[in-house]
Structure formats: structure tokens, C-alpha cells
Amino acid sequence: MNTGEGGSALERAWVRVRTRLRNEYGEAAFKNWLKSLTLLRASGDKVVLAVASKFWRDWIAAHYGDRLVEMWKNENMGFNGVEIVVAPVEARNAERPRPDAPIEPPRLNGDERTPPPGAAPPQVNGDEPRLGDVQNMCTPLDPRLTFETFVIGKPNEFAHAAALRVAEADDIPFNPLFLYGGVGLGKTHLMHAIAWRLKHRTPSRRVTFLSSETFMYLFVKAVRYKDMHAFKEQFRTVDLLMIDDVQFFGEKSATQEELFHTFNALVDHRRQVIISADKPPVDLQGIEERLKSRLGSGVVAQLNPTNYELRLSILQAKAEHKGVAIPPKVLEFLAHKITSNIRELEGAMTRLFAHCTLLNSREISIDMAQEVLQDLLRANDRHVTIDDIQKRVCEHYNIKMADLLSPRRARAVARPRQVAMWLAKQLTTRSLPEIGRKFGGRDHTTIMHGVRKIEELRGGDPSLNEDIEILTRSLTR
Ligand code: ADP
Ligand code: MG
């Protein structure tokens, strides 16, 4: 079948699906697995995708198959399923899709979970690292992600201190270190920083940094090679094991089990383990209780959503590092407007720099930033509204909106009100007087007081902290 006219629509849909995959599963998973998928053609009500080997095909089918099918269905192009075929790289790279390329297509109907039992080990070819070379599968450390480039502020000071402690200790201060927080708030950065510092201090120490995807990959591979022994051995010689984004383990119970054993073995051998996730251990979905409690048994440190001061410091640091003079007013503007996360903040800076380099005569102004970053600013604007916050807080604490906005000072409403004020300050770009108006016409000093109160209480009140986390997460998706 030739894709003809529809080809470009199909390709555009594929670009959207890929973008969605990337957003949903994160950069690491995308790079490790999904990027290797290529679009071959449409075949009836199915989309045919290709990968280089049977092993990859089985893996992708088992882990991403359901979502792939859903995403294609959502494209509303009449697709009901996805076939992943094994096709040689040349065929996939050919300018035009080759209709005769497919070999052994498994049908993904949403039930296919794991590779067929007893299947022969896949041939090891270029893109499949041999079992035992965990070091080769290690995500390389990024030289930009060090303690020196990590800007410290209230939202991340505890996590930073804990990370530094691990990096500088001669023994193991606590095990594991569990870092958690929303996307783009510095988890991976801190992990790399620890690894750099540790390697710098004691070059002989072996550091392994794995995405949870890679960990799973190695595990599944070991199962297929029937070589769990080698799998375990390769971790035994590691001094510091870091696994990033363990929330992706999801319901893969065998991998969880293995993580648990690996983890116990490492701790028993007095090795340091560092784990990151998007939520604290107790909230991880589909992870067994004993693993959760084990993961939470060291130090659990949160990377909180950024505040204005941290955003501004980061922008200043980045501008200075780049040697680009950006007027303070512009930095302040960006720190006010781009509140989602640090990655977006960096993205904004990169775009501004690029723009300036291209049109080197133009100086950076707020107007220019507004023009160049239109879409980013709009996305951030839409982020969270004070109304959303108030509604969600009322639901969470089970109080009435009228009470939240009333002058009542009973603790049962006053505290949730302060939480809502704090969230409004953190998650929106509204000024204190604007927030005051939204809270039954309160003065901005009252808002400031509320915000400070919560800052003060948070440190010593885990249940308040937990409320805030839950609310922040639900508001920021
Ligand atoms: P996460 O792993 O939590 O999703 P990352 O560690 O990848 O986030 O951080 C996203 C981007 O923001 C990275 O480029 C990182 O260098 C940068 N970043 C995060 N926190 C800081 C910080 N405190 N100071 C400087 N840059 C930071
Ligand atoms: Mg990360």
C-alpha cells in the first residue's frame, strides 16, 4: 500500500503521537525505547511501526503497546490497532516506506503483556547491549549537572543538603536517599551532581546511574537469557546505584521484586542507593508495601515547586553563565511568568539567547521576551487559577467555599485558607493584592502573613506538608 496523499497526514499524526509519548513517558524512556520506533505505513485499520529487532519489538509491545493503540485511536483516523514489525534499519531509513518490509507482526490488542514464554533469546546486535555490561547502559553523566551549577533556594534546600551529605560522606549517612518532586525541578540534576562529586573525591568508586527503563530492560533481558545471576552480579560491584524515575516501574511486579532484592543486597553490602520519583514512596502506585517502606527508610527529600526567588536566582545564574546581559527587568518578568518548572525556565532562556544571537542588534526587552516566548507564557498563564486552588482546597479539607472566603478565624477554616493563599502565591503569577481580592477582599499583608505562616509550619508539620503536596500535585496535574 502506498501512503500517497494520506501519507503526510499519517506522518503528521505520527509526529503528534511521538510528542505525546515523549511527554507521557519522559525523555529517558523516550530515548531508550520509543525513539527507535519508526512509522512504516497504514494497513487497513492498523498502523504499522517498525523496530530493529524482535527483542525491542516485544519490549515495546509489552510496555507501551496499550498506550500506542490508544494514542492512535485518539487520532481519529480510523485506526484500531498497531502492529510492530521487525524491519532492518535500511528498510526503515528508506525514503519511502517499503510495503514488503514486515516480518512476524505481533498484533497489539491491549492484552499482550510480556514476550512469549520460552522464546529464544534474541540475537544480540548493535543496539542491544549484552547482558553484564550495566556500565555501558549507564546514562552518561552530564557535565553541566553539578553542585556548582545547582542554585539553592527554599524549595530545594533540604534536598540539596541531603544530596551533598551523601556526596561528601566517607561512609553511608543514610540509605537510600529518596528524592522526589514534579517534573523539571532538579531530581536528575542532583543525582548527577552527587555522582560527579563522589567520582571527584574518590575516583575508584563505581557509580551507576540508570533510568528505571534501563533497569527494567536489563532485568527483562536477564530473564530471557535465564541469567539472573549475572544480572545480580553486575550490581554487587557498584558502590553507588542511582535509579531515576522509579514511578515508571508501575505494575511490573517482577521488576519491582528484583529492585527490592537488588536494593536489599546493596544495602546489606553497605552500598549507597539513591532513588528518584515524582512522588514520595507512600504514594507510588502499584508498588508493593514492603518496597515502599524500604524505599522510605532512609531520607526522603522533596524538590518543591519553585518560588519566585529561586526562579529569579536561576535565571540570573544562567544568564551570567552564558555571559549574556539580560536586563534585570526581563529576568524578573520571566521569573514571575514562567512558574511551571525549571526546565521550562531554561527553555525560555535558551530561546531568548538564540533569538538574540540571530538578530544580534536587538537588545532583550520585556516586549521582545513576550513576543519570542508567547506560547510558553500562555501555557504558564493557563496553569493554575486562584479559583481552581480555592475549589480544590475546599474539597480537600471538606469545608465550604463561603467559609474559606469568610472572615471566620476558627482554625478549621483558617488553616486551609492559609494553605490556599500559599498555593496561590506559589502556583500563580498573581500579586499579593490580587490574591487578597480573591480571598474576600483581604489586605495584601494578610495574604503575606498567611503565606509566611505556612512556610513556617511546613518544616515541622508532616501532615500539613502532605496536604500541600497532594494539593500541588492535583493542581499541577
Ligand atoms: P527532574 O529530573 O526533576 O525532572 P532535572 O534535574 O532534569 O529535573 O532539571 C530540569 C532542568 O532544570 C535541568 O536542565 C537542570 O539543570 C535544571 N535545574 C533544575 N534545578 C536546578 C537548580 N536548582 N539550579 C539550576 N538548574 C536547575
Ligand atoms: Mg529527571
Side-chain angles (χ1 to χ4, degrees):
M1 170 202 263
N2 130 17
T3 44
E5 282 262 311
S8 59
L10 188 66
E11 275 156 23
R12 282 198 302 275
W14 178 227
V15 170
R16 286 192 294 274
V17 169
R18 277 167 66 93
T19 307
R20 232 164 276 143
L21 287 167
R22 186 186 227 129
N23 291 340
E24 209 161 289
Y25 292 103
E27 202 50 40
F30 185 78
K31 263 207 306 258
N32 284 343
W33 305 104
L34 300 161
K35 207 171 155 193
S36 63
L37 271 177
T38 48
L39 174 69
L40 219 54
R41 66 205 155 93
S43 164
D45 64 349
K46 290 193 189 51
V47 175
V48 185
L49 304 173
V51 286
S53 77
K54 193 159 169 299
F55 182 80
W56 283 88
R57 185 200 68 192
D58 293 344
W59 177 271
I60 291 171
H63 292 86
Y64 306 103
D66 300 355
R67 275 306 282 153
L68 269 168
V69 172
E70 271 173 51
M71 285 180 182
W72 277 104
K73 279 187 186 162
N74 290 342
E75 283 297 320
N76 292 322
M77 296 170 78
F79 293 122
N80 255 324
V82 170
E83 274 179 7
I84 303 182
V85 301
V86 180
V89 175
E90 318 82 70
R92 297 187 291 134
N93 287 349
E95 280 286 286
R96 303 184 89 220
R98 271 187 28 194
D100 55 339
I103 316 161
E104 332 165 62
R107 177 91 62 83
L108 298 183
N109 51 19
D111 296 334
E112 188 166 329
R113 287 261 138 234
T114 40
Q123 281 186 324
V124 177
N125 58 24
D127 64 340
E128 286 177 13
R130 251 165 258 271
L131 182 62
D133 54 1
V134 58
Q135 291 307 330
N136 297 340
M137 287 295 283
C138 237
T139 311
L141 294 177
D142 185 332
R144 288 166 305 179
L145 306 181
T146 62
F147 280 116
E148 286 69 30
T149 57
F150 190 85
V151 179
I152 307 163
K154 260 235 155 359
N156 60 25
E157 66 183 358
F158 180 68
H160 172 266
L164 196 60
R165 182 78 214 287
V166 167
E168 307 235 294
D170 290 318
D171 60 349
I172 294 178
F174 36 78
N175 217 355
L177 169 60
F178 191 101
L179 296 169
Y180 76 95
V183 76
L185 296 179
K187 301 181 293 294
T188 303
H189 190 138
L190 276 182
M191 288 173 119
H192 283 230
I194 294 169
W196 283 121
R197 181 63 60 91
L198 212 76
K199 274 173 170 269
H200 179 73
R201 291 182 63 244
T202 328
S204 59
R205 285 175 83 180
R206 270 148 311 184
V207 174
T208 297
F209 181 96
L210 297 175
S211 65
S212 61
E213 295 286 328
T214 310
F215 187 87
M216 283 197 275
Y217 173 87
L218 291 170
F219 170 72
V220 169
K221 192 126 177 139
V223 171
R224 294 203 71 187
Y225 276 108
K226 301 193 176 32
D227 201 355
M228 287 314 291
H229 180 70
F231 175 79
K232 291 192 173 110
E233 272 307 299
Q234 58 192 342
F235 291 105
R236 276 171 57 100
T237 56
V238 164
D239 293 300
L240 167 63
L241 174 65
M242 299 193 268
I243 304 183
D244 207 3
D245 289 323
V246 298
Q247 70 273 12
F248 292 128
F249 278 175
E251 313 261 341
K252 315 287 178 307
S253 66
T255 337
Q256 279 185 31
E257 183 82 15
E258 208 41 56
L259 173 69
F260 187 71
H261 290 307
T262 306
F263 177 76
N264 283 344
L266 287 168
V267 171
D268 290 345
H269 286 90
R270 303 204 40 76
R271 319 285 188 177
Q272 179 76 56
V273 178
I274 305 176
I275 304 278
S276 84
D278 65 349
K279 13 177 141 47
V282 285
D283 291 344
L284 287 171
Q285 302 268 307
I287 293 210
E288 287 172 38
E289 284 308 317
R290 58 183 188 141
L291 183 50
K292 283 187 196 174
S293 81
R294 200 67 214 259
L295 291 175
S297 64
V299 164
V300 177
Q302 184 185 6
L303 288 138
N304 294 288
T306 59
N307 60 16
Y308 172 76
E309 290 76 20
L310 177 61
R311 292 194 294 272
L312 187 60
S313 310
I314 288 175
L315 289 169
Q316 286 162 342
K318 304 256 176 219
E320 196 171 311
H321 182 77
K322 272 270 181 185
V324 181
I326 302 186
K329 279 266 165 279
V330 176
L331 295 180
E332 285 162 21
F333 169 77
L334 293 177
H336 267 301
K337 290 291 181 185
I338 302 181
T339 54
S340 48
N341 65 47
I342 301 171
R343 202 187 306 271
E344 287 207 351
L345 214 52
E346 280 187 333
M349 289 289 265
T350 309
R351 224 197 279 174
L352 271 187
F353 293 151
H355 206 81
C356 288
T357 321
L358 288 174
L359 311 167
N360 54 9
S361 59
R362 264 178 89 175
E363 74 168 55
I364 303 183
S365 64
I366 293 186
D367 282 349
M368 171 207 178
Q370 232 155 1
E371 184 189 317
V372 175
L373 305 172
Q374 240 177 49
D375 52 330
L376 256 182
L377 293 170
R378 214 176 308 127
N380 272 276
D381 251 358
R382 228 187 289 126
H383 228 58
V384 181
T385 66
I386 295 178
D387 292 334
D388 291 339
I389 292 171
Q390 292 175 332
K391 194 164 147 264
R392 211 62 69 83
V393 166
C394 285
E395 285 163 9
H396 183 84
Y397 288 102
N398 201 12
I399 58 175
K400 294 201 187 74
M401 182 66 82
D403 286 334
L404 187 86
L405 303 180
S406 76
R408 281 188 58 201
R409 305 176 76 142
R411 174 92 169 262
V413 292
R415 189 70 82 234
R417 188 185 294 134
Q418 289 169 335
V419 167
M421 291 172 181
W422 185 87
L423 289 167
K425 177 76 186 12
Q426 299 300 316
L427 303 179
T428 74
T429 53
R430 303 285 159 231
S431 65
L432 292 175
E434 282 173 310
I435 298 174
R437 276 195 291 283
K438 282 285 202 176
F439 278 83
R442 285 176 159 78
D443 190 70
H444 77 275
T445 53
T446 311
I447 306 300
M448 195 155 65
H449 172 77
V451 171
R452 289 230 181 99
K453 187 77 198 166
I454 296 298
E455 287 291 345
E456 225 173 84
L457 293 173
R458 281 186 78 192
D461 186 344
S463 92
L464 176 66
N465 229 347
E466 199 179 310
D467 289 342
I468 290 180
E469 276 162 28
I470 294 169
L471 284 161
T472 306
R473 258 206 312 281
S474 83
L475 284 158
T476 52
R477 220 172 3 121

